[in-house]
Amino acid sequence: MDISNSSSKSSSKIFYGWKLLALISFMGSLNNAFFSKGSALFLLPVENSLGLSRATSSLIFSLARSEGAVEGPIVGYLVDRFGSKKMMILGTVLAGIGFVIFALAPNVWMFAVAYLVFIAVGAAMGFQHAIAATVNMWFSKYRVRALAIQEASGNLGSMLLIPLIGLLIAYFSWRWAAALAAASYFFVILPLSVFVKSSPESVGLLPDGADPEELNKIRNAQSEGLSNSESRTLSYYDSPDFMLREALLTPTYWFLLIGTMFRQIAKAPIQVHIVAILHWKGLDVATASLIFAFWLGMNVPSKLFFGFIGDRVPKQVSLGGGMVLYAVSMLVLIYGASLWMCLLSAFLGGLAEGITPINWGAIGDYFGRNYFATLRGIINLSHSWALVGLPWAAGWWFDKYDSYLMIIWVSFASALVSGVFYVLMRRPKLPSRLEAVRSSNV
């Protein structure tokens, strides 16, 4: 990484990256509440209002969630090529238009157009890929920690907003909730996107606010030998980036991809149907919505905890352990019959979500900054079928058998398989080209 042109801005008391992280975390929390988590609240009232079957409503919401995964490689390339800010602005406008159409939808066809053509595309483009890529560009040493803060902030925002959205739907209409979402995208998120910067280099800084003079001193002292702390510091900023093809040829990338795919298989039907599952187990919809909010709330301390240990504990241990925890939460959901057991399942499931920033941070840590969004997009593509098929299958299974039991067992088994593949990961060996680059820097 060339630091010769970095300005003295890096000596600022508060690194701009942390301010930017707070900004995009707030923006992402709104999108998380209305789109990523909001589908669980919209599922039943939209189904009843438009006269849909559980399978049909589940299919549209699951298609919307998977669409970002299908477009992942393309959107990821656009983010890497043109920068996250442009994609964020475009995605915000598309999502806002979509929620306007959704609020006015008189039938299933307009509902599908709103969610699949506008909302899903905009949310994936402006938030799913662009925000993660922005964090990856602005942080290196603190990458996992920053991703954890961003993820936790999104869940905290959801925890606070989900009950309000649920009450708005219960006492007024899901259409009012959709209108509120549209207003949030147009009048809150869009104006704030002006302050987003795609990379620290674009404003004369280095990732993490690193001091260029200090790094140059460490580099110049390499011939005399470096301490462990100095070697570790230099590794964050002088590690060469893998080319896309080089990353795809490593076993590590494929273990990460398969582990993530089974993780999403375990999560996809539960995320869409969790309120309906709790209702099936005997809770009223309002209580089920509050437990869903509690599940999201547990994500916050868990992601902060995993973010803190993410650079200290081997990633395969953290990721594998998290999936075992998720599997246990599914067992509690299967055998639990009381409100307290449902709360325990939500507690454990929420804790297991803490591994998400480690999952995505592994891409940047293993393969660098230049192709982060593209590599992430390919991983998202690998599980796109699960985001579509499994929530729909869960709805179809419920319509046919009036039970969610089989779906929860599938989630349990998939969580264990995911954990196995995560445990198999190891830091990839550098290609010969990058070994030469590293040797020339010594």
Side-chain angles (χ1 to χ4, degrees), residues 54 64 77 108 119 121 124 132 141 159 175 186 188 269 285 297 305 308 324 330 351 377 396 407 433 437:
R54 183 67 52 83
Y77 168 78
V108 65
I119 297 175
V121 174
K141 180 178 181 180
M159 181 185 69
R175 297 183 186 276
F186 281 124
V188 180
V285 174
F305 170 73
F308 179 78
V324 170
M330 292 298 100
L351 287 180
W396 176 86
I407 303 304
R433 176 185 66 85
V437 172

Side-chain angles (χ1 to χ4, degrees), residues 147-186:
L147 284 169
I149 293 172
Q150 187 270 313
E151 291 266 357
S153 300
N155 288 119
L156 178 60
S158 297
M159 181 185 69
L160 297 175
L161 287 172
I162 286 295
L164 297 178
I165 297 171
L167 290 173
L168 186 62
I169 292 173
Y171 288 99
F172 293 94
S173 168
W174 62 269
R175 297 183 186 276
W176 281 100
L180 177 62
S184 298
Y185 282 98
F186 281 124

Side-chain angles (χ1 to χ4, degrees), residues 15-21 24 133-147 200 206-209 236-237 364-365 369:
F15 174 47
Y16 184 76
W18 294 114
K19 300 176 184 178
L20 179 62
L21 180 64
I24 61 177
T134 302
V135 175
N136 183 68
M137 290 297 291
W138 277 85
F139 297 92
S140 182
K141 180 178 181 180
Y142 302 112
R143 178 180 288 120
V144 172
R145 188 175 304 180
L147 284 169
L206 293 178
D208 306 306
Y236 290 120
Y237 308 106
D365 288 348
R369 303 164 71 209

